[in-house]
Amino acid sequence: MARNDLTRLTGNVGGPNCDDDDCANVYRRESGAFVIQGDVSRAFTPPDGEGLVEIPEAVLREAVRALGW
């Protein structure tokens, strides 16, 4: 799947300049599932096939606003 197949919910309004796509972001797949981009976290070891990322609270708040929740 390519990034342009996803709906970007964050990084568009009043946030940091993310033109080079290196900022934490929340994306939504057509299926309704979310894809999260952020710094790799080593808070604990997740099960095989899973990963951990850290994203700022402001990014989550922006995603919620974009969804109208």
Side-chain angles (χ1 to χ4, degrees):
M1 168 175 292
R3 186 188 318 239
N4 61 357
D5 293 330
L6 304 169
T7 300
R8 185 173 174 172
L9 300 175
T10 58
N12 300 313
V13 180
N17 182 354
C18 294
D19 293 338
D20 54 3
D21 293 325
D22 65 350
C23 297
N25 281 295
V26 177
Y27 300 87
R28 193 165 195 189
R29 295 183 64 172
E30 192 174 298
S31 67
F34 296 95
V35 176
I36 309 299
Q37 174 186 348
D39 293 331
V40 174
S41 175
R42 301 210 187 323
F44 63 90
T45 302
D48 286 344
E50 296 183 6
L52 303 175
V53 297
E54 294 184 14
I55 59 172
E57 179 181 328
V59 173
L60 288 178
R61 289 182 182 276
E62 185 179 353
V64 167
R65 280 192 303 271
L67 292 167
W69 293 353

